Amino acid sequence: MNNAKAYSAASATSPLARTTIPRRDPTEHDVQIEILFCGICHSDLHSVRNEWSSLMPTVYPIVPGHEIVGRVTNVGSAVTKFKPGDLAGVGCMVDSDRTCPHCQADLEQFCPNMTLTFNSPDKHLGGVTYGGYSDSIVVNERFVLHIPSNLDLAGVAPLHCAGITTYSPMRHWGVIKGKKVGVVGLGGLGHMGVKFARAFGAHVVVFTTSPGKKEDALRLGANEVVVSRNADEMKKHAGSFDFILDTISADHDINAYINLLGHDGNLTLVGAPEKPLAVSAFGLLFGRRSLSGSLIGGIAETQEMLDFCGKHNITADVEVIPIQKVNEAYERLLKSDVKYRFSIDMASLKSR
Ligand SMILES: [Zn+2]
Ligand SMILES: [Zn+2]
């Protein structure tokens, strides 16, 4: 067993603080990775504060982080995909049963026996898995991603959650050249949605409540920006969208967006509002529109997304912070005060 430096929270009300955690010695199929950057996802904060206790109660201490990028330092004897020195990424999952229908379909994210990167039962060491706010991690090679060599690593880290979360539904619902795509909300998820939709060749419309975000939305690749509080502006787009990606995790009027879909248009939710959303059936009946959700993506699709990013030079827009600023970053995250994702530079873990 190895000791790794990490940051953990001891309870729902404790700040994250320096600690030491065990990491297993690589088994024959494992890859050991020195973590260089880890993105901060809103679900890190939800888990640290046990805000999803009914669905996934947090086991303390918790080491969050599932937007991991680093360099391979050691591999097990049977590993074929990686060698020491390779760049490597790890996202939200570190294992699954590989036998269920979901795994067989390359949709490990729906596997009933999937192991999350943190706060999931650890089959090797007991206890729970520890995530990426750490200087190293050991993961089965099937769940380790190859990283294109041309990309900025700090901006690559968030692709492992925010990236695949927005890429996957667009691929599933056929976002291609010539389609009209809406992105609701311009945060960590939304800004990635804009980049992907534009790279797919779609006509991209960003919906935001803040007129101040207009310029940035255009810079990120939007063709148009609509201030959603402006009823006239909304009306102009009625019945015209092929696909809308809704990234909002606060309560909002979803019918206003369903009504912007054309026939057979789809609205996919990737945000998770706390309270149930009220949906008017008529909005779906007229035009055979559909409403769906999406959750990250399988490993094969995550690799496809990373390769796509390499080809199109796509990374997340990040603010790089030392890990000593992580608690401050959480407070800023609550105020959406980041453009558009925090990425922790793990070199900072070496210093006090
Ligand atoms: Zn995440
Ligand atoms: Zn499975």
Side-chain angles (χ1 to χ4, degrees):
M1 221 159 57
N2 296 293
N3 282 328
K5 291 190 180 113
Y7 258 55
S8 73
S11 76
T13 53
S14 312
L16 288 149
R18 172 179 284 273
T19 190
T20 302
I21 53 166
R23 295 291 193 193
R24 68 179 182 266
D25 292 322
T27 66
E28 59 176 350
H29 294 289
D30 282 338
V31 175
Q32 185 178 48
I33 300 162
E34 177 195 4
I35 299 175
L36 300 175
F37 292 94
C38 184
I40 297 181
C41 174
H42 214 115
S43 52
D44 298 352
L45 190 153
H46 286 301
S47 300
V48 162
R49 299 187 179 177
N50 203 11
E51 290 168 353
W52 287 339
S53 56
S54 54
L55 195 66
M56 291 180 277
T58 302
V59 177
Y60 294 94
I62 177 175
V63 177
H66 58 203
E67 295 184 337
I68 299 167
V69 67
R71 204 171 278 284
V72 175
T73 48
N74 195 5
V75 298
S77 58
V79 168
T80 57
K81 280 170 61 189
F82 293 90
K83 60 180 189 313
D86 286 352
L87 292 173
V90 178
C92 302
M93 309 178 278
V94 289
D95 210 350
S96 73
D97 60 23
R98 296 156 207 181
T99 53
C100 76
H102 310 291
C103 287
Q104 300 280 312
D106 282 333
L107 297 168
E108 298 90 351
Q109 73 271 35
F110 307 133
C111 175
N113 300 305
M114 179 254 285
T115 304
L116 290 165
T117 303
F118 61 85
N119 198 42
S120 245
D122 186 330
K123 285 186 279 189
H124 298 265
L125 296 180
V128 291
T129 51
Y130 294 132
Y133 295 10
S134 171
D135 60 1
S136 70
I137 192 165
V138 178
V139 179
N140 185 292
E141 71 168 328
R142 284 179 184 238
F143 288 80
V144 181
L145 287 314
H146 288 286
I147 306 298
S149 59
N150 59 317
L151 300 176
D152 168 60
L153 293 182
V156 164
L159 299 177
H160 293 87
C161 178
I164 187 62
T165 296
T166 51
Y167 179 93
S168 180
M170 288 198 200
R171 292 278 291 150
H172 181 77
W173 290 100
V175 172
I176 51 170
K177 192 171 166 59
K179 300 281 182 180
K180 186 172 174 184
V181 170
V183 176
V184 186
L186 195 66
L189 292 173
H191 97 288
M192 288 309 310
V194 172
K195 291 186 186 203
F196 285 131
R198 187 60 188 262
F200 290 141
H203 181 86
V204 188
V205 182
V206 166
F207 296 92
T208 175
T209 52
S210 357
K213 285 195 175 170
K214 193 162 185 169
E215 218 168 285
D216 226 23
L218 295 171
R219 176 185 64 82
L220 291 162
N223 298 96
E224 297 179 59
V225 183
V226 171
V227 176
S228 53
R229 290 199 178 104
N230 184 325
D232 286 339
E233 272 191 66
M234 291 289 277
K235 215 172 168 183
K236 271 194 266 174
H237 291 275
S240 68
F241 282 87
D242 297 293
F243 176 77
I244 296 177
L245 185 74
D246 185 341
T247 72
I248 305 292
S249 52
D251 194 23
H252 61 293
D253 177 16
I254 195 168
N255 301 303
Y257 295 102
I258 290 173
N259 289 331
L260 300 187
L261 294 170
H263 75 259
D264 290 322
N266 170 269
L267 185 148
T268 291
L269 301 172
V270 288
E274 206 180 322
K275 291 195 199 113
L277 295 166
V279 178
S280 158
F282 281 111
L284 297 174
L285 302 181
F286 284 91
R288 195 167 55 192
R289 297 152 168 159
S290 64
L291 169 65
S292 57
S294 190
L295 180 79
I296 51 172
I299 293 297
E301 192 175 45
T302 305
Q303 187 62 63
E304 177 194 302
M305 179 270 309
L306 287 165
D307 295 344
F308 182 86
C309 288
K311 203 168 151 200
H312 294 267
N313 222 355
I314 294 173
T315 53
D317 283 25
V318 291
E319 178 178 335
V320 178
I321 58 161
I323 195 150
Q324 290 79 2
K325 292 238 163 125
V326 68
N327 294 302
E328 200 180 298
Y330 275 21
E331 292 311 310
R332 288 181 51 199
L333 195 58
L334 288 172
K335 293 181 274 183
S336 301
D337 175 22
V338 57
K339 282 181 175 166
Y340 281 89
R341 205 75 157 174
F342 289 109
S343 188
I344 305 168
D345 181 352
M346 282 305 159
S348 60
L349 205 47
K350 292 190 176 85
S351 59
R352 279 268 154 198

